[in-house]
């Protein structure tokens, strides 16, 4: 049966090659990716709603049920079992995995990523995990694009484009925001904006958004009506809001990284991780019930509140209920603890993203900023609900290092296009603030530390995509240190290089023989038995390691002006040599390939 399917697929590929060129077929595939991503987003939303309804049906909405403390822990536990025994692969940090696939894995995402993140995140979020569904669905969309391209044997450049189409379609589908899907792919995934890439990504985004509207008749994600119009007199407040958003984004990223480090040390102790994560999450939800789940309900309360009674709803079921005078304190504590709830959910074994948490924190930061601004009459009155919107854009732009994504996503998911200029101001100010302290987004910072992050900088992108192992010549003849000059001359005559490495009996690199340095004795036959290799050894100007990033390799060649440099294993044994000419020819070929449309 498998052979018949493979034969049929090969026939389809052959027919496509004869009748449809690559550019046309890429557009067809982008349409398919958009549709499939919309289906995946719809399935995920449906699963989350059904699980939430199943668990909470019959609950008293006016009172707090203690099962709200148990459900998230159960969700984390079930998700960890699903990942450990069924998926058997790490599916956390979905967008980081996409970036890694683009930069180091030639855009290949595993087939299970097309469905595993949907199920895992549905269990986690449906049971009340304090994370978002966006990163898992972006990984799903990108995996659909990658595997669809591989199925039809598309080249690596097209695979990268289809991965971007899948990510854009996922954002467009889950948020009903096609423009945000496009700019997210360009800003966060670093897919270069060319006419060859723009059209497929747009097709995927619009297709996903349209089918999402077909599958769900709901309007925008958040119900928002702008309170008044923006005025120049509020620009100072917008600027300070952006700066505050950048500072909170830095807090979010640094705290998240610290928490991940704690849970990372327990990776071989899953039940301890579950106990720690579950205890943290349950405690925080007991203190601040708004941390339960994605938190979109409380964001809508802040966006649509008009009176103190409306905003006091976020105090419901908490220890702060009935204490309206403590609303500001409550909001501040929620901002500070949300990142711990998100870290506990993922660290304990759950699966979810940071999109929703950044929107959540941003909404609360915007409300807190406006409330304090008005309480202390710092300047002209600013509407709290408008600043809830601006806070969401500010924190998202800071956390993701993506001001355009923050602008367009918030405008599209709320319908707040009238706030476009204030959205631009706060997003830019937030980005300019956080870039001082953290040069990479929350998704890219893990890869950047390993030198595996691709960027829009063409030179650095090429060096990231290159692999030192691919340019190593491993067929280098070597000689022992006790060989005499006569035998060495014979070995040189059989070598295809002018450099011969010298190794000891254990294979350790001792140095090298450079023929250009032996010209004064190499033709004097009377000296052939008077000199040993160990007397003629010279040290290379630099030694490379198998773990060196290509940027370091290039820098060493530039600084030493060497023709060849040895590459050593971590134990000092020789892996091979890198030739300067071969390295630069490979680099130039990759630049030409990347520049080709």
């Amino acid at each position: 049966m498998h052979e018949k399917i493979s034969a049929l697929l090969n026939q389809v590929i052959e027919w496509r090659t004869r009748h449809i060129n690559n550019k046309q077929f890429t557009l067809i595939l982008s349409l398919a990716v958009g549709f499939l991503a919309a289906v995946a987003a719809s399935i995920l939303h449906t699963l989350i709603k059904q699980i939430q309804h199943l668990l909470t049906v019959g609950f008293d909405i006016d009172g707090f049920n203690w099962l709200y403390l148990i459900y998230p822990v159960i969700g984390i536990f079930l998700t960890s079992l699903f990942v450990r025994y069924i998926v058997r692969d790490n599916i956390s940090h979905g967008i980081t995995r996409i970036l890694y696939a683009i930069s180091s894995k030639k855009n290949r995402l595993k087939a299970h990523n097309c469905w595993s993140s949907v199920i895992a995140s549905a269990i986690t979020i449906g049971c009340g995990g304090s994370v978002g569904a966006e990163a898992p669905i972006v990984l799903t969309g990108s995996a659909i694009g990658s595997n669809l391209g591989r199925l039809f044997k598309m080249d690596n450049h097209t695979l990268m484009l289809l991965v971007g189409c899948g990510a854009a379609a996922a954002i467009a589908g889950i948020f009903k925001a096609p423009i945000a899907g496009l700019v997210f792919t360009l800003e966060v995934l670093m897919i270069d904006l060319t006419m060859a890439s723009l059209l497929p990504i747009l097709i995927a985004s619009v297709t996903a958004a349209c089918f999402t509207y077909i599958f769900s008749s709901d309007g925008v994600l958040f119900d928002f009506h702008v309170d008044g119009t923006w005025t120049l007199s509020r620009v100072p407040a917008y600027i300070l809001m952006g700066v505050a958003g950048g500072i909170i984004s830095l807090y979010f990223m640094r705290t998240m990284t610290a928490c991940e480090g704690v849970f990372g040390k327990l990776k071989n102790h899953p039940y301890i991780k579950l106990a720690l994560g579950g205890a943290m999450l349950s405690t925080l939800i007991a203190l601040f019930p708004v941390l339960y789940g994605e938190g979109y309900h409380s964001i809508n309360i802040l966006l649509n509140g008009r009176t103190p009674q409306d905003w006091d709803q976020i105090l419901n079921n908490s220890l702060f209920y009935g204490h309206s005078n403590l609303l500001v304190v409550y909001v501040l504590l929620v901002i500070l603890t949300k990142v711990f709830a998100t870290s506990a959910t993922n660290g304990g074994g759950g699966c979810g993203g940071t999109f929703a948490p950044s929107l959540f924190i941003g909404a609360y930061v915007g409300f807190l900023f406006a409330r304090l601004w008005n309480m202390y009459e710092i300047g002209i009155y600013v509407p709290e609900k408008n600043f809830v919107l601006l806070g969401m854009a500010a924190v998202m732009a800071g956390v993701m290092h993506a001001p355009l994504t923050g602008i367009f996503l918030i405008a599209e998911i709320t319908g707040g296009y009238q706030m476009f200029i204030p959205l631009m101001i706060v997003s830019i100010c937030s980005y300019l603030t956080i870039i001082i302290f953290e040069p990479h987004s929350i998704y890219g910072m893990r890869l950047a530390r390993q030198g595996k992050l691709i960027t829009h900088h063409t030179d650095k992108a090429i060096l990231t995509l290159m692999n030192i192992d691919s340019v190593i010549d491993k067929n280098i003849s070597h000689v022992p240190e006790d060989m005499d000059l006569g035998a060495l001359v014979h070995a040189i005559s059989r070598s295809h290089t002018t450099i011969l490495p010298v190794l000891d009996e254990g294979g350790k690199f001792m140095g090298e023989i450079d023929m250009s340095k032996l010209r004064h004795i190499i033709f004097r036959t009377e000296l052939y038995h008077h000199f040993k290799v160990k007397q003629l050894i010279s040290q290379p100007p630099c030694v490379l390691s198998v773990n060196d990033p290509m940027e370091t390799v290039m820098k060493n060649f530039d600084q030493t002006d060497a023709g060849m440099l040895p590459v050593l294993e971590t134990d000092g044994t020789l892996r091979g040599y890198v030739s300067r000419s071969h390295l630069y020819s490979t680099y130039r070929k990759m630049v030409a390939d990347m520049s080709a449309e």
Side-chain angles (χ1 to χ4, degrees):
M1 184 65 180
H2 178 71
E3 293 178 355
K4 291 182 179 180
I5 295 175
S6 297
L8 179 61
L9 180 61
N10 288 331
Q11 292 176 4
V12 172
I13 294 173
E14 290 177 6
W15 180 90
R16 193 280 299 177
T17 304
R18 291 195 303 268
H19 296 88
I20 307 175
N21 63 42
N22 281 342
K23 287 186 178 181
Q24 293 170 337
F25 194 62
T26 300
L27 299 181
I28 295 173
L29 288 179
S30 66
L31 184 68
V33 169
F35 169 73
L36 294 174
V39 171
S42 178
I43 291 173
L44 178 56
H45 271 306
T46 301
L47 287 175
I48 291 174
K49 289 180 180 178
Q50 291 300 320
I51 294 173
Q52 289 175 342
H53 176 74
L54 179 65
L55 295 179
T56 60
V57 63
F59 278 13
D60 181 5
I61 61 174
D62 296 327
F64 185 78
N65 194 301
W66 286 101
L67 286 176
Y68 278 125
L69 307 182
I70 305 300
Y71 285 155
V73 181
I74 295 175
I76 294 173
F77 178 65
L78 293 177
T79 301
S80 62
L81 292 179
F82 170 75
V83 172
R84 191 180 312 130
Y85 295 109
I86 297 180
V87 179
R88 297 181 180 180
D89 188 23
N90 183 11
I91 58 175
S92 62
H93 303 310
I95 296 175
T96 301
R97 298 183 72 80
I98 298 170
L99 289 171
Y100 182 68
I102 290 174
S103 63
S104 302
K105 294 294 184 181
K106 297 184 179 180
N107 311 296
R108 285 164 170 79
L109 292 165
K110 295 181 179 178
H112 73 74
N113 289 131
C114 295
W115 56 270
S116 56
S117 295
V118 171
I119 296 176
S121 59
I123 296 172
T124 300
I125 300 168
C127 292
S130 194
V131 288
E134 298 77 22
I137 201 63
V138 170
L139 176 58
T140 299
S142 294
I144 290 172
S146 174
N147 284 277
L148 200 58
R150 290 166 60 191
L151 181 66
F152 289 98
K153 300 180 180 180
M154 306 302 288
D155 58 69
N156 189 53
H157 182 77
T158 306
L159 280 183
M160 178 185 290
L161 182 55
L162 290 174
V163 167
C165 287
I171 294 295
I174 203 163
F175 285 122
K176 298 179 182 176
I179 300 177
L182 170 66
V183 296
F184 170 84
T185 302
L186 301 177
E187 281 191 304
V188 179
L189 297 189
M190 309 293 181
I191 303 296
D192 285 329
L193 178 59
T194 63
M195 287 308 298
S197 62
L198 178 61
L199 189 56
I201 295 174
L202 271 177
I203 289 174
S205 297
V206 173
T207 301
C210 289
F211 276 102
T212 301
Y213 274 107
I214 293 173
F215 299 146
S216 173
S217 59
D218 298 337
V220 292
L221 184 61
F222 298 112
D223 185 20
F224 174 77
H225 299 284
V226 65
D227 189 352
T229 57
W230 79 277
T231 62
L232 285 175
S233 57
R234 289 177 179 153
V235 169
Y238 299 150
I239 294 174
L240 291 176
M241 175 71 254
V243 173
I247 294 172
I248 292 297
S249 299
L250 180 65
Y251 164 77
F252 182 88
M253 294 172 65
R254 294 285 172 85
T255 307
M256 179 77 74
T257 302
C259 291
E260 285 178 356
V262 173
F263 282 102
K265 295 177 181 178
L266 301 173
K267 62 181 179 180
N268 296 323
H269 306 281
Y271 293 105
I272 297 178
K273 285 174 58 179
L274 173 65
L276 177 60
M280 283 178 60
L281 186 57
S282 292
T283 301
L284 292 173
I285 290 175
L287 295 172
F288 312 104
V290 292
L291 298 179
Y292 183 88
E294 293 174 297
Y296 287 163
H297 175 68
S298 66
I299 293 178
N300 266 318
I301 291 175
L302 295 178
L303 282 172
N304 294 285
R306 292 185 177 277
T307 65
Q309 290 74 24
D310 293 335
W311 288 311
D312 286 348
Q313 292 180 62
I314 64 173
L315 299 175
N316 289 353
N317 302 321
S318 74
L319 300 176
F320 291 76
Y321 178 75
H323 299 280
S324 300
N325 59 313
L326 297 178
L327 178 63
V328 170
V329 176
Y330 182 81
V331 170
L332 176 61
L333 292 175
V334 167
I335 293 170
L336 296 177
T337 55
K338 175 64 175 180
V339 62
F340 292 99
T342 299
S343 300
T345 302
N346 284 331
C351 178
T354 56
F355 250 90
S358 63
L359 289 175
F360 180 92
I361 290 177
Y364 276 71
V365 168
F367 177 82
L368 178 64
F369 179 91
R371 176 56 61 91
L372 292 175
W373 181 280
N374 293 330
M375 280 177 57
Y376 293 101
E377 298 180 349
I378 298 174
I380 186 175
Y381 171 81
V382 295
E384 280 95 340
K385 58 185 299 185
N386 289 5
F387 271 71
V388 171
L389 186 76
L390 299 177
M392 294 164 68
V395 174
M396 173 161 287
V399 169
M400 297 183 184
H401 280 46
L404 287 177
T405 301
I407 294 166
F408 285 102
L409 181 63
I410 302 306
E412 287 187 290
I413 65 178
T414 61
Y417 289 100
Q418 294 174 342
M419 296 290 294
F420 218 78
I421 293 180
L423 284 171
M424 294 173 67
I425 294 173
V426 298
S427 296
I428 292 170
C429 291
S430 175
Y431 175 73
L432 292 177
T433 300
I434 195 170
I435 202 71
I436 298 172
F437 306 99
E438 183 56 63
H440 301 288
S441 72
I442 194 170
Y443 305 123
M445 60 193 302
R446 304 178 187 94
L447 296 179
R449 293 193 185 104
Q450 305 170 31
K452 297 178 180 178
L453 180 65
I454 191 170
T455 71
H456 284 301
H457 191 294
T458 302
D459 182 60
K460 291 184 177 180
I462 293 296
L463 294 179
T464 301
L465 290 168
M466 289 178 68
N467 188 326
I468 188 173
D469 204 49
S470 65
V471 294
I472 294 177
D473 183 357
K474 301 177 182 177
N475 297 318
I476 299 288
S477 302
H478 62 271
V479 295
E481 57 183 348
D482 58 353
M483 176 184 283
D484 64 21
L485 179 60
L488 175 62
V489 171
H490 185 63
I492 291 175
S493 68
R494 291 184 287 109
S495 174
H496 65 280
T497 66
T498 60
I499 299 288
L500 285 177
V502 180
L503 308 182
D504 66 10
E505 294 180 356
K508 294 286 183 65
F509 180 78
M510 305 298 294
E512 61 186 21
I513 296 296
D514 187 345
M515 190 177 71
S516 64
K517 298 179 180 179
L518 302 181
R519 290 175 180 170
H520 61 293
I521 62 172
I522 199 170
F523 298 111
R524 298 180 61 181
T525 56
E526 71 274 12
L527 301 177
Y528 279 9
H529 299 293
H530 288 78
F531 285 97
K532 297 287 185 180
V533 165
K534 60 184 176 182
Q535 298 172 275
L536 306 172
I537 289 179
S538 61
Q539 294 301 317
C542 178
V543 174
L544 305 176
S545 168
V546 291
N547 298 319
D548 282 345
M550 290 305 299
E551 193 169 356
T552 301
V553 175
M554 280 286 197
K555 185 181 295 183
N556 285 330
F557 270 104
D558 288 340
Q559 291 176 347
T560 62
D561 200 29
M564 297 179 66
L565 289 176
V567 182
L568 305 186
E569 302 279 4
T570 53
D571 61 356
T573 56
L574 181 71
R575 170 72 71 90
Y577 267 74
V578 174
S579 163
R580 182 189 188 92
S581 59
H582 180 51
L583 176 65
Y584 277 74
S585 65
T586 302
Y587 173 83
R588 286 192 295 270
K589 183 179 183 302
M590 293 188 69
V591 170
D593 291 342
M594 179 171 280
S595 301
E597 287 293 326

